[in-house]
Short mmCIF file of all heavy atoms in Angstrom, two decimals:
data_model
loop_
_atom_site.label_atom_id
_atom_site.label_comp_id
_atom_site.label_asym_id
_atom_site.label_seq_id
_atom_site.Cartn_x
_atom_site.Cartn_y
_atom_site.Cartn_z
N ASP F 238 52.59 -1.21 -54.95
CA ASP F 238 51.87 -2.39 -54.47
C ASP F 238 52.86 -3.52 -54.26
O ASP F 238 53.12 -4.32 -55.15
CB ASP F 238 50.81 -2.79 -55.50
CG ASP F 238 49.93 -3.93 -54.99
OD1 ASP F 238 49.95 -4.17 -53.76
OD2 ASP F 238 49.24 -4.56 -55.80
N PRO F 239 53.48 -3.60 -53.05
CA PRO F 239 54.49 -4.62 -52.81
C PRO F 239 53.90 -6.02 -52.89
O PRO F 239 52.83 -6.28 -52.34
CB PRO F 239 54.99 -4.31 -51.40
CG PRO F 239 53.87 -3.57 -50.76
CD PRO F 239 53.20 -2.80 -51.86
N LYS F 240 54.58 -6.90 -53.56
CA LYS F 240 54.11 -8.27 -53.70
C LYS F 240 54.69 -9.20 -52.64
O LYS F 240 54.13 -10.24 -52.35
CB LYS F 240 54.49 -8.81 -55.10
CG LYS F 240 53.85 -8.02 -56.25
CD LYS F 240 52.33 -8.04 -56.18
CE LYS F 240 51.70 -7.30 -57.35
NZ LYS F 240 50.24 -7.26 -57.26
N ASN F 241 55.86 -8.81 -52.09
CA ASN F 241 56.45 -9.71 -51.09
C ASN F 241 55.76 -9.52 -49.75
O ASN F 241 55.36 -8.42 -49.36
CB ASN F 241 57.96 -9.48 -50.97
CG ASN F 241 58.29 -8.11 -50.39
OD1 ASN F 241 58.23 -7.94 -49.19
ND2 ASN F 241 58.62 -7.15 -51.25
N LYS F 242 55.59 -10.60 -49.04
CA LYS F 242 54.81 -10.60 -47.81
C LYS F 242 55.49 -9.83 -46.69
O LYS F 242 54.84 -9.26 -45.82
CB LYS F 242 54.52 -12.05 -47.39
CG LYS F 242 53.60 -12.80 -48.34
CD LYS F 242 53.35 -14.20 -47.86
CE LYS F 242 52.31 -14.90 -48.72
NZ LYS F 242 52.75 -15.01 -50.12
N THR F 243 56.83 -9.81 -46.68
CA THR F 243 57.55 -9.07 -45.63
C THR F 243 57.19 -7.59 -45.69
O THR F 243 56.95 -6.94 -44.67
CB THR F 243 59.06 -9.25 -45.79
OG1 THR F 243 59.37 -10.64 -45.73
CG2 THR F 243 59.81 -8.52 -44.69
N ALA F 244 57.15 -7.04 -46.91
CA ALA F 244 56.80 -5.63 -47.06
C ALA F 244 55.38 -5.37 -46.59
O ALA F 244 55.09 -4.34 -45.98
CB ALA F 244 56.97 -5.20 -48.52
N GLN F 245 54.47 -6.30 -46.85
CA GLN F 245 53.09 -6.12 -46.43
C GLN F 245 52.96 -6.18 -44.91
O GLN F 245 52.17 -5.44 -44.31
CB GLN F 245 52.21 -7.18 -47.09
CG GLN F 245 52.13 -7.04 -48.60
CD GLN F 245 51.24 -8.10 -49.22
OE1 GLN F 245 50.10 -8.26 -48.81
NE2 GLN F 245 51.75 -8.82 -50.19
N LEU F 246 53.75 -7.05 -44.27
CA LEU F 246 53.71 -7.13 -42.82
C LEU F 246 54.18 -5.84 -42.18
O LEU F 246 53.76 -5.48 -41.08
CB LEU F 246 54.58 -8.29 -42.33
CG LEU F 246 53.96 -9.69 -42.38
CD1 LEU F 246 54.99 -10.72 -41.99
CD2 LEU F 246 52.74 -9.78 -41.47
N ASN F 247 55.08 -5.12 -42.86
CA ASN F 247 55.63 -3.89 -42.31
C ASN F 247 54.85 -2.66 -42.71
O ASN F 247 55.29 -1.53 -42.48
CB ASN F 247 57.09 -3.74 -42.74
CG ASN F 247 58.02 -4.63 -41.94
OD1 ASN F 247 58.24 -4.39 -40.76
ND2 ASN F 247 58.54 -5.66 -42.57
N PHE F 248 53.67 -2.85 -43.32
CA PHE F 248 52.83 -1.72 -43.67
C PHE F 248 52.11 -1.22 -42.43
O PHE F 248 51.50 -1.99 -41.69
CB PHE F 248 51.80 -2.12 -44.73
CG PHE F 248 50.79 -1.04 -45.01
CD1 PHE F 248 51.17 0.10 -45.71
CD2 PHE F 248 49.49 -1.15 -44.56
CE1 PHE F 248 50.24 1.11 -45.96
CE2 PHE F 248 48.56 -0.15 -44.81
CZ PHE F 248 48.94 0.98 -45.51
N ARG F 249 52.21 0.08 -42.19
CA ARG F 249 51.57 0.67 -41.01
C ARG F 249 50.26 1.34 -41.45
O ARG F 249 50.27 2.37 -42.12
CB ARG F 249 52.50 1.69 -40.36
CG ARG F 249 51.91 2.34 -39.10
CD ARG F 249 52.92 3.30 -38.51
NE ARG F 249 52.32 4.12 -37.46
CZ ARG F 249 52.94 5.14 -36.88
NH1 ARG F 249 54.17 5.44 -37.26
NH2 ARG F 249 52.34 5.85 -35.95
N ALA F 250 49.16 0.73 -41.07
CA ALA F 250 47.86 1.26 -41.45
C ALA F 250 47.59 2.58 -40.73
O ALA F 250 48.09 2.81 -39.62
CB ALA F 250 46.77 0.25 -41.11
N GLN F 251 46.80 3.43 -41.37
CA GLN F 251 46.49 4.73 -40.79
C GLN F 251 45.81 4.57 -39.44
O GLN F 251 44.85 3.82 -39.29
CB GLN F 251 45.58 5.52 -41.73
CG GLN F 251 45.30 6.94 -41.26
CD GLN F 251 44.49 7.73 -42.27
OE1 GLN F 251 44.11 7.20 -43.30
NE2 GLN F 251 44.23 8.99 -41.97
N GLY F 252 46.35 5.27 -38.44
CA GLY F 252 45.80 5.20 -37.10
C GLY F 252 46.47 4.20 -36.20
O GLY F 252 46.29 4.25 -34.98
N ASN F 253 47.25 3.27 -36.76
CA ASN F 253 47.94 2.29 -35.94
C ASN F 253 49.21 2.89 -35.34
O ASN F 253 49.95 3.59 -36.04
CB ASN F 253 48.32 1.06 -36.76
CG ASN F 253 47.14 0.15 -37.01
OD1 ASN F 253 46.06 0.40 -36.52
ND2 ASN F 253 47.36 -0.89 -37.78
N PRO F 254 49.50 2.62 -34.07
CA PRO F 254 50.73 3.15 -33.47
C PRO F 254 51.95 2.39 -33.97
O PRO F 254 51.83 1.30 -34.54
CB PRO F 254 50.51 2.88 -31.97
CG PRO F 254 49.60 1.69 -31.94
CD PRO F 254 48.69 1.85 -33.12
N PRO F 255 53.15 2.94 -33.79
CA PRO F 255 54.38 2.27 -34.25
C PRO F 255 54.54 0.86 -33.67
O PRO F 255 55.13 -0.01 -34.30
CB PRO F 255 55.50 3.19 -33.76
CG PRO F 255 54.85 4.52 -33.65
CD PRO F 255 53.44 4.26 -33.21
N SER F 256 54.01 0.62 -32.47
CA SER F 256 54.19 -0.68 -31.82
C SER F 256 53.42 -1.80 -32.48
O SER F 256 53.54 -2.96 -32.09
CB SER F 256 53.79 -0.58 -30.34
OG SER F 256 52.44 -0.18 -30.22
N THR F 257 52.61 -1.50 -33.51
CA THR F 257 51.91 -2.56 -34.22
C THR F 257 52.79 -3.21 -35.28
O THR F 257 52.39 -4.21 -35.88
CB THR F 257 50.64 -2.02 -34.90
OG1 THR F 257 50.99 -0.98 -35.81
CG2 THR F 257 49.66 -1.49 -33.88
N LEU F 258 53.96 -2.66 -35.52
CA LEU F 258 54.88 -3.23 -36.51
C LEU F 258 55.84 -4.20 -35.84
O LEU F 258 56.27 -3.99 -34.70
CB LEU F 258 55.68 -2.11 -37.20
CG LEU F 258 54.86 -1.07 -37.94
CD1 LEU F 258 55.79 -0.04 -38.57
CD2 LEU F 258 53.98 -1.71 -39.00
N PRO F 259 56.21 -5.28 -36.52
CA PRO F 259 57.09 -6.28 -35.91
C PRO F 259 58.43 -5.72 -35.46
O PRO F 259 58.99 -6.17 -34.46
CB PRO F 259 57.29 -7.31 -37.05
CG PRO F 259 56.09 -7.15 -37.92
CD PRO F 259 55.75 -5.70 -37.86
N ASN F 260 58.96 -4.71 -36.18
CA ASN F 260 60.30 -4.23 -35.84
C ASN F 260 60.32 -3.18 -34.75
O ASN F 260 61.38 -2.72 -34.33
CB ASN F 260 61.00 -3.67 -37.10
CG ASN F 260 60.27 -2.46 -37.67
OD1 ASN F 260 59.11 -2.25 -37.37
ND2 ASN F 260 60.96 -1.69 -38.49
N THR F 261 59.15 -2.78 -34.25
CA THR F 261 59.11 -1.79 -33.18
C THR F 261 58.32 -2.26 -31.97
O THR F 261 58.22 -1.54 -30.99
CB THR F 261 58.50 -0.47 -33.68
OG1 THR F 261 57.24 -0.73 -34.30
CG2 THR F 261 59.41 0.23 -34.67
N ALA F 262 57.76 -3.43 -32.03
CA ALA F 262 56.95 -3.92 -30.91
C ALA F 262 57.81 -4.57 -29.85
O ALA F 262 58.91 -5.03 -30.11
CB ALA F 262 55.92 -4.94 -31.42
N ILE F 263 57.31 -4.55 -28.63
CA ILE F 263 57.94 -5.33 -27.57
C ILE F 263 57.52 -6.77 -27.78
O ILE F 263 56.39 -7.15 -27.50
CB ILE F 263 57.49 -4.84 -26.18
CG1 ILE F 263 57.94 -3.40 -25.94
CG2 ILE F 263 58.03 -5.74 -25.09
CD1 ILE F 263 57.47 -2.82 -24.64
N SER F 264 58.41 -7.56 -28.29
CA SER F 264 58.00 -8.92 -28.66
C SER F 264 59.09 -9.93 -28.39
O SER F 264 59.08 -11.02 -28.89
CB SER F 264 57.64 -8.96 -30.15
OG SER F 264 58.72 -8.48 -30.93
#
Side-chain angles (χ1 to χ4, degrees):
D238 186 16
K240 298 300 182 183
N241 67 80
K242 293 181 174 61
T243 302
Q245 294 181 53
L246 279 175
N247 283 289
F248 173 72
R249 181 179 169 188
Q251 185 175 2
N253 283 357
S256 59
T257 59
L258 300 180
N260 62 341
T261 52
I263 296 177
S264 55

